[in-house]
Amino acid sequence: MATLYKTFIVNCSIQKRPSHVSDNSRHYNLPLFPAFKPLKKVLPEVPLQIDDVKKTMSKTAAILLDAFVDSFFEFIDQPLLPSQSNFAPVVELGEAIVVTSIQGQIPDDFPEGVYIRNGPNPLFGGLQSTNSIFGRSSYIWVEGEGMLHAIYFKRWSPGIWTVLYNNKYVETDTYKVEKQRSKPLFLPAIEGDSPAILSAYLLNWLRFGKVNKYISNTNVFEHSGKFYSVAENHIPQEIDIFTLKTLRNWNVNGAWDRPFTSHPKKVPGTGELVTFGVAATKPFAVVGIISADGKKLVHKVDLKLNRCTLCHDIGVTQRYNVIMDFPLTIDLNRLLRGGPLMKYNKEEYARIGVMPHYGDANSIKWFEVEPNCTFHIINSFEDGHEASYLELEVVVRGCRSLDSLIPGPDPSLKEFEWLSRCHEWRLNMQTGEVKERGLCGANIVYMDFPMINGNFIGIRNRYAYTQVVDPIASSTQDVPKYGGLAKLYFEESCAKFSMQRNREQPEEPIRVECHMFEKNTFCSGAAFVPRDGGLEEDDGWIIAFVHNEDTNISEVHIIDTKKFSGETVAKITMPRRVPYGFHGAFMPISFETQ
């Protein structure tokens, strides 16, 4: 989740623990002017001397700044509770490992490809805090350098599969700096005492030209046949999907120069990619559209927001972009006044904006909604007449909470209010009316990290899937743990599973079917995998990394979405422990050219 957050963000986990290893694991590489002539002998020497002086001064300043930080800032490992053991980082494998332990059977019509999940994996043993003459500052749970975990599925013949596992850090610019010097360098600049955060901002900028690390730990997406790792405090990094090697930063041929949402969306029909970047200084929010071939930024517009709202996701429909402007904000002025840099304030306004894909700030139609924090949109689509605004509604569904888990929930709030539930907003484009409701009614099902069949992004869909929160296991550390999965039936009520709901969308809670794991077992990075040749929206599987905290063993589970509450189709035991992380994706790929 988280992720969220990130010019100003951070990921999870902590101290180094032994990995689950197999001594006999096999390793594989996966196939990257004339009167002035006398002066010419003299003048060139002057710039060279000036350059030498500048370099010397710059080097001296860097040495002095490093010495200041080393003398007045103490880095301290943040300890982990026993219940947080699988938030601890692991080491890189270096090479892919063949996976041999499979319970059940991978279906024959399961597609070849790679299931890949991103997540935080902090360097140097875990998350850091600092003590200094300015006070204390800490990285928050969503911070940590990104690490990719990938499972490759290669089918040789019916029932015969080769399954490989690999992991690798995303080598961002700041990762390389710290890795080269083999110690933490960037000072935490998100949470803590105001003077400490301000000094961290300044010192990070003076030393590295950046106020925060580039973490690239939240999501993985594909566009025009290329694959990218991303977190919204920086631009994406292109990766080699077969080796997980970081290839380059992706700035759309120099046209995109600001943060990039972790959840860009493809426009239905055109294949254009809609992105969104938030920053702590104006312009606070910018929307961009990238061509279907990924080579050109075809539209870029400042939304002219008057605050930096920490928007993690963006929605699309066939004609519109959907903007979430909710009261989780980054405010430098608030920090200068001694308040927190990041804060959720339920007394401030919350609104959803609907704008044409190629619109500007003046074209946005804003809808005031109840204050909330929604990191993830399930889907958005148009419902009603397609030719005009008349009777047209834009429907937005998401995972909504009444508080923010980043940087941390308000301890004075009611129990579990920081956990999210499935919610719907219906926005009337003619009247401006908003209808919103919890889709699960009185049924208390906390959920997040939604996923749908990717062919239905931006259009009306019948099904969605989420990770289900175990509120008891989550309450001891203010970090969600997901003890199961849910299938949401938007067109069926929970009272009458077989009856399709009508266009008026009656108020009965929707049907929710759950697939729960055994005790002390939790998942992360779940993704929908369409069945090869499947014709129906829910024809496929959910695939997820799953970890049993009692045995300390990690697995990958494959669950048939047509028999969702039934037995798991296949359980693939990982040769190494896989820490909890954020978003996953399944990418169909061909191994023939490798």
Side-chain angles (χ1 to χ4, degrees):
M1 343 186 87
T3 65
L4 321 190
Y5 326 75
K6 293 172 177 181
T7 307
F8 2 84
I9 279 191
V10 239
N11 261 271
C12 35
S13 270
I14 314 26
Q15 316 180 20
K16 187 176 292 185
R17 304 285 179 92
S19 299
H20 178 70
V21 300
S22 175
D23 294 336
N24 61 350
S25 298
R26 289 183 288 162
H27 291 71
Y28 292 81
N29 286 316
L30 283 175
L32 115 27
F33 216 125
F36 297 98
K37 280 183 179 179
L39 291 176
K40 288 187 176 181
K41 297 179 180 180
V42 178
L43 290 178
E45 300 296 322
V46 176
L48 287 175
Q49 292 172 3
I50 292 174
D51 286 346
D52 289 343
V53 170
K54 287 181 178 179
K55 290 178 181 179
T56 301
M57 291 177 64
S58 178
K59 185 176 181 179
T60 301
I63 293 172
L64 291 174
L65 285 168
D66 284 348
F68 178 84
V69 171
D70 290 342
S71 298
F72 293 101
F73 288 83
E74 178 188 12
F75 283 92
I76 304 169
D77 287 343
Q78 295 184 29
L80 282 175
L81 298 170
S83 61
Q84 296 172 318
S85 61
N86 198 45
F87 289 100
V90 295
V91 298
E92 283 186 328
L93 290 176
E95 296 176 307
I97 300 177
V98 65
V99 179
T100 59
S101 179
I102 302 175
Q103 178 183 340
Q105 187 170 355
I106 301 171
D108 289 338
D109 48 358
F110 192 86
E112 286 190 318
V114 57
Y115 168 46
I116 185 167
R117 201 219 65 203
N118 210 339
N121 200 81
L123 282 167
F124 316 119
L127 289 177
Q128 304 288 312
S129 296
T130 59
N131 280 330
S132 71
I133 58 175
F134 304 102
R136 186 183 181 104
S137 66
S138 304
Y139 287 121
I140 60 176
W141 74 272
V142 293
E143 208 160 14
E145 286 75 12
M147 177 177 274
L148 303 172
H149 299 266
I151 298 288
Y152 299 87
F153 295 87
K154 166 65 177 176
R155 182 177 55 239
W156 298 99
S157 61
I160 306 300
W161 293 82
T162 293
V163 180
L164 301 174
Y165 166 66
N166 201 3
N167 68 4
K168 191 171 182 59
Y169 276 107
V170 184
E171 297 186 355
T172 64
D173 299 339
T174 60
Y175 167 89
K176 294 175 183 177
V177 171
E178 290 198 322
K179 186 69 173 178
Q180 181 179 16
R181 294 178 61 175
S182 300
K183 68 176 185 178
L185 299 172
F186 283 81
L187 301 170
I190 299 296
E191 184 178 60
D193 301 320
S194 180
I197 296 176
L198 285 170
S199 63
Y201 257 78
L202 178 61
L203 288 167
N204 286 344
W205 178 256
L206 290 174
R207 297 168 76 203
F208 309 112
K210 306 166 181 63
V211 299
N212 269 317
K213 293 190 290 186
Y214 299 150
I215 51 181
S216 195
N217 65 7
T218 307
N219 200 7
V220 181
F221 69 94
E222 175 272 336
H223 187 58
S224 188
K226 295 183 178 181
F227 304 88
Y228 304 93
S229 172
V230 66
E232 60 257 35
N233 73 334
H234 190 37
I235 57 179
Q237 284 68 53
E238 183 183 347
I239 60 172
D240 183 318
I241 198 64
F242 294 98
T243 66
L244 304 184
K245 179 181 178 181
T246 304
L247 301 177
R248 61 186 66 84
N249 292 331
W250 187 44
N251 59 10
V252 197
N253 291 320
W256 190 263
D257 58 354
R258 60 184 293 111
F260 195 105
T261 180
S262 291
H263 295 286
K265 297 291 196 309
K266 290 187 181 181
V267 178
T270 72
E272 294 171 317
L273 190 70
V274 180
T275 188
F276 180 88
V278 298
T281 57
K282 289 185 176 181
F284 292 127
V286 172
V287 163
I289 299 180
I290 300 168
S291 60
D293 61 9
K295 296 179 180 180
K296 185 178 180 181
L297 184 69
V298 295
H299 188 61
K300 184 178 181 182
V301 59
D302 175 7
L303 300 185
K304 301 189 183 302
L305 301 188
N306 60 7
R307 64 183 182 183
C308 175
T309 182
L310 203 49
C311 181
H312 178 62
D313 204 347
I314 188 170
V316 295
T317 73
Q318 292 175 304
R319 289 183 290 178
Y320 303 110
N321 306 321
V322 177
I323 313 298
M324 315 290 272
D325 183 9
F326 293 162
L328 173 61
T329 59
I330 297 289
D331 192 333
L332 295 175
N333 289 327
R334 183 171 60 213
L335 179 66
L336 290 170
R337 296 192 301 266
L341 174 65
M342 184 186 305
K343 182 180 180 180
Y344 174 74
N345 187 350
K346 63 181 179 181
E347 304 302 324
E348 291 189 8
Y349 65 87
R351 60 183 185 169
I352 299 176
V354 179
M355 64 179 292
H357 288 313
Y358 284 85
D360 57 18
N362 295 326
S363 69
I364 305 175
K365 188 175 183 65
W366 290 105
F367 297 83
E368 299 291 327
V369 300
E370 295 177 2
N372 72 94
C373 186
T374 297
F375 286 125
H376 296 118
I377 294 172
I378 299 172
N379 198 19
S380 51
F381 57 90
E382 300 163 31
D383 190 19
H385 292 286
E386 299 181 359
S388 71
Y389 271 8
L390 295 177
E391 299 181 27
L392 175 67
E393 290 182 322
V394 170
V395 180
V396 183
R397 294 171 178 151
C399 295
R400 187 196 78 149
S401 66
L402 299 179
D403 193 14
S404 174
L405 59 90
I406 297 172
D410 184 344
S412 67
L413 292 177
K414 294 180 182 179
E415 191 176 28
F416 306 140
E417 282 195 344
W418 56 283
L419 296 174
S420 57
R421 301 176 64 191
C422 187
H423 201 78
E424 179 183 87
W425 298 267
R426 301 187 70 87
L427 315 175
N428 190 301
M429 297 296 292
Q430 180 186 25
T431 67
E433 180 186 8
V434 178
K435 295 179 182 178
E436 57 177 298
R437 68 186 184 102
L439 289 173
C440 297
N443 299 317
I444 306 301
V445 181
Y446 300 107
M447 59 184 72
D448 209 338
F449 288 89
M451 65 214 96
I452 66 172
N453 184 325
N455 295 319
F456 288 80
I457 291 174
I459 62 177
R460 188 184 188 95
N461 63 307
R462 298 180 61 188
Y463 309 101
Y465 311 87
T466 63
Q467 297 177 183
V468 177
V469 179
D470 182 327
I472 303 302
S474 303
S475 63
T476 60
Q477 60 241 328
D478 293 339
V479 177
K481 286 185 177 181
Y482 300 91
L485 298 159
K487 180 179 181 179
L488 310 179
Y489 294 75
F490 294 121
E491 295 186 357
E492 295 181 21
S493 73
C494 64
K496 298 179 181 180
F497 292 171
S498 62
M499 291 185 62
Q500 183 171 344
R501 302 167 67 205
N502 61 35
R503 301 283 290 185
E504 275 63 40
Q505 298 288 311
E507 294 301 315
E508 290 88 353
I510 64 170
R511 176 187 174 192
V512 178
E513 183 180 6
C514 290
H515 180 104
M516 305 305 294
F517 307 119
E518 60 188 87
K519 185 179 179 181
N520 293 329
T521 301
F522 308 98
C523 71
S524 66
F528 178 81
V529 184
R531 186 185 305 271
D532 272 351
L535 300 177
E536 297 180 309
E537 180 188 339
D538 64 339
D539 198 358
W541 301 269
I542 294 296
I543 189 169
F545 281 101
V546 176
H547 184 77
N548 185 310
E549 295 188 352
D550 292 335
T551 63
N552 200 34
I553 293 175
S554 299
E555 298 177 325
V556 166
H557 286 197
I558 299 175
I559 299 150
D560 191 331
T561 50
K562 289 285 192 178
K563 304 173 183 177
F564 194 74
S565 57
E567 293 294 322
T568 302
V569 173
K571 297 180 180 180
I572 305 169
T573 302
M574 294 293 95
R576 299 290 190 274
R577 179 177 65 84
V578 180
Y580 301 131
F582 299 137
H583 296 280
F586 187 89
M587 312 289 194
I589 56 175
S590 173
F591 297 94
E592 298 304 320
T593 59
Q594 299 305 305

